[in-house]
Amino acid sequence: MTSSGEKAGDKYRSFLNDEAHEISWRHGGPPSYVLTNQLFEEGRTKEWAKGSLEETVQNAIKSWEMELSHKTRLQDFKTIDPDKFQLFVNGREGLSGEEVLKLGSYNALLKTSLPEEFKYYKAEEETFTSSHEAFRSAFPRGFAWEVLSVYSGPPVIAYKFRHWGFFEGPFKGHAPTGEMVEFYGFGTLKVDESLRVEDVEIYFDPAELFGGLLKGAPITETSQPTHQACPFSKNVV
């Protein structure tokens, strides 16, 4: 849960507590990123100088992800231009802000054109809630995200990233291994003069993620441990 000490805000995410009482939050109030921030600080490979382009890009993407995961109305987003925003993943057709908000970040990022029998994650069968619950269960300490390099500045920002967590809870019938699961990718952000995002392009290999998650031994429904997560907690970036 969010403690009183966090009311001043999150040092990596803008707008977390700004005008919080006027925002339509998915779980009734701003989330807490205490566990994810701890995982990030313990496991990051880069520590960028305050005010650097790399830090600015890293925090901007963390702020965007926070809004996408926890705000229910696009009009409350401050990190994007809601009228122009589009998300492109691995060269697929772009998704509007409303489409991404409805699908959820996991389903938007993990759609695939694989034949049905080879799909290890069926985004079209998941809801926003079920997808977040699945990954929150798998990564109870969080799923951290960092910028590794920034290759160009505004208005089109190109960057390399790393995403990681520890597989310590069940995932889709697979027992946790306790091992680190991580993947790398590249992305671009097209921003306006106010640094609001208009386009996001992301390229990564989902098999790097699922290769770690599917290593866990199969478990039955009756033997699967119950994972209770505080709805205000967050396990991504």
Side-chain angles (χ1 to χ4, degrees), residues 13-14 41 60 62 77 85 93-94 100 127 139 142 169 176 179 181 183 187 193-194 206-207 211 218:
R13 296 166 185 83
S14 303
E41 291 169 358
K62 288 177 184 286
F77 282 45
F85 180 83
E93 184 178 352
V100 177
T127 65
F139 300 118
E179 298 177 358
V181 175
F183 67 89
E193 62 276 4
S194 300

Side-chain angles (χ1 to χ4, degrees), residues 159-174:
Y159 60 93
K160 181 181 179 181
F161 67 87
R162 169 179 173 249
H163 216 338
W164 77 98
F166 288 88
F167 184 19
E168 297 170 327
F171 178 80
K172 296 290 185 182
H174 290 268

Side-chain angles (χ1 to χ4, degrees), residues 64 68 74 80-111 123 197-201:
W64 168 63
L68 176 59
L74 208 62
I80 69 170
D81 181 335
D83 296 324
K84 295 182 178 180
F85 180 83
Q86 284 194 298
L87 171 66
F88 301 86
V89 181
N90 289 335
R92 293 196 301 270
E93 184 178 352
L95 297 170
S96 69
E98 290 290 356
E99 288 174 319
V100 177
L101 186 59
K102 180 180 179 180
L103 288 171
S105 54
Y106 288 115
N107 292 332
L109 292 169
L110 296 173
K111 293 177 75 175
V197 178
E198 296 179 349
D199 286 350
V200 178
E201 293 192 42

Side-chain angles (χ1 to χ4, degrees), residues 90 109-111 120 204-211:
N90 289 335
L109 292 169
L110 296 173
K111 293 177 75 175
Y120 33 73
F204 73 104
D205 181 1
E208 290 189 31
L209 167 62
F210 290 107

Side-chain angles (χ1 to χ4, degrees), residues 82 184 191:
Y184 297 81
V191 299

Side-chain angles (χ1 to χ4, degrees), residues 53-54 57 150-159 188-191 195:
L53 178 60
E54 291 85 357
V57 172
V150 175
Y151 304 107
S152 61
V156 180
I157 302 166
Y159 60 93
T188 63
L189 301 173
K190 180 182 177 183
V191 299
L195 297 183

